[in-house]
Amino acid sequence: MEKHTDITEQSLIQALKQGSHKAFDRIYQMYSKRLYAYSLQFSKSPEESEDIVQDVFIKLWTNKENIKQNETLRSLLFIMAKHHLINAYRSRLNHPAYEEYIKYTETLSVDDAHYHIEYTEFIQQVRKAIDSLPSTQQKVVILSRMQHLSNRKIAEKLSLSEQTVKNQLSLGLKSLKEKLGIFSFILMSLFIN
């Protein structure tokens, strides 16, 4: 008898639901590049696209016991990414793709609504973390990451040197990653627990 070594996505989902780190890694390998390319297509920002992919997989891990899908996670992961993109577009209401996403959300089934609620809670945590930063870091992070201004424009707007903006942005993002947990930090803490 020939040994079947190819692991199906269905078996990976079952293992993930039971807390398998290997299954999670395999699912990440299967989808992360596609989710990144998809997010980049709409956000036009490599950093934002990376953040979206990290957030989607963090949420997948933290909600693994509640996964209803049994055969594939493709639609779930892309819906989660779309919710992240929608929220990013909401902060930039004039973005041309925003209306397209609003139309899309109207087609979501009621079953998908809980992802939006979870994401809203996540955004509240982000806002709390930003509010806890020193004043200059708050302003720089908001202008850079939410309003997508260049360091030069932020420097002009806040009457700071460009180097100060870079330093404050770096410190602010580092602090936020510590408060919220970047992908690897969150996964590490979950694995330890």
Side-chain angles (χ1 to χ4, degrees):
M1 257 176 103
E2 197 175 310
K3 207 173 182 182
H4 187 65
T5 54
D6 187 31
I7 298 170
T8 65
E9 186 172 358
Q10 195 171 1
S11 63
L12 289 173
I13 293 169
Q14 291 310 311
L16 172 65
K17 287 180 185 180
Q18 294 165 12
S20 166
H21 306 144
K22 285 183 182 177
F24 178 83
D25 290 342
R26 289 287 297 271
I27 291 166
Y28 180 84
Q29 289 167 7
M30 286 169 65
Y31 287 107
S32 60
K33 286 180 183 171
R34 285 189 272 173
L35 285 171
Y36 174 81
Y38 171 79
S39 299
L40 187 62
Q41 174 186 349
F42 293 97
S43 74
K44 309 295 185 210
S45 162
E47 294 85 6
E48 193 174 346
S49 299
E50 284 174 18
D51 289 346
I52 288 169
V53 172
Q54 288 178 357
D55 290 344
V56 164
F57 280 98
I58 288 167
K59 188 165 290 173
L60 179 69
W61 177 260
T62 56
N63 293 293
K64 61 189 175 294
E65 295 89 0
N66 303 321
I67 296 171
K68 293 176 184 167
Q69 289 73 11
N70 292 315
E71 292 178 20
T72 179
L73 293 173
R74 186 183 183 282
S75 62
L76 173 67
L77 294 172
F78 278 88
I79 285 169
M80 290 165 74
K82 283 177 185 181
H83 283 301
H84 284 267
L85 286 162
I86 290 166
N87 208 41
Y89 291 138
R90 282 196 177 126
S91 68
R92 295 175 273 166
L93 283 176
N94 296 330
H95 200 289
Y98 179 68
E99 284 180 39
E100 180 185 329
Y101 273 94
I102 290 300
K103 287 176 190 164
Y104 164 76
T105 56
E106 290 167 358
T107 67
L108 289 178
S109 71
V110 178
D111 293 340
D112 299 324
H114 69 283
Y115 293 111
H116 179 67
I117 293 163
E118 288 168 8
Y119 185 61
T120 304
E121 289 166 6
F122 175 73
I123 288 301
Q124 288 170 349
Q125 290 175 348
V126 171
R127 288 195 180 123
K128 261 190 211 170
I130 290 172
D131 290 346
S132 72
L133 295 174
S135 177
T136 305
Q137 287 179 23
Q138 276 183 43
K139 291 173 189 168
V140 170
V141 167
I142 289 168
L143 290 171
S144 172
R145 291 301 184 254
M146 295 181 180
Q147 295 180 20
H148 304 281
L149 296 182
S150 68
N151 288 348
R152 189 172 51 79
K153 288 190 176 175
I154 296 168
E156 289 168 9
K157 191 171 181 124
L158 299 179
S159 303
L160 300 169
S161 73
E162 214 170 318
Q163 188 58 49
T164 301
V165 169
K166 285 180 188 172
N167 294 344
Q168 291 296 305
L169 182 60
S170 178
L171 289 169
L173 292 176
K174 184 180 178 192
S175 181
L176 285 176
K177 284 175 183 176
E178 286 168 5
K179 290 170 197 285
L180 297 168
I182 59 168
F183 185 65
S184 56
F185 289 142
I186 285 184
L187 290 180
M188 268 196 320
S189 67
L190 288 168
F191 292 166
I192 290 164
N193 294 334

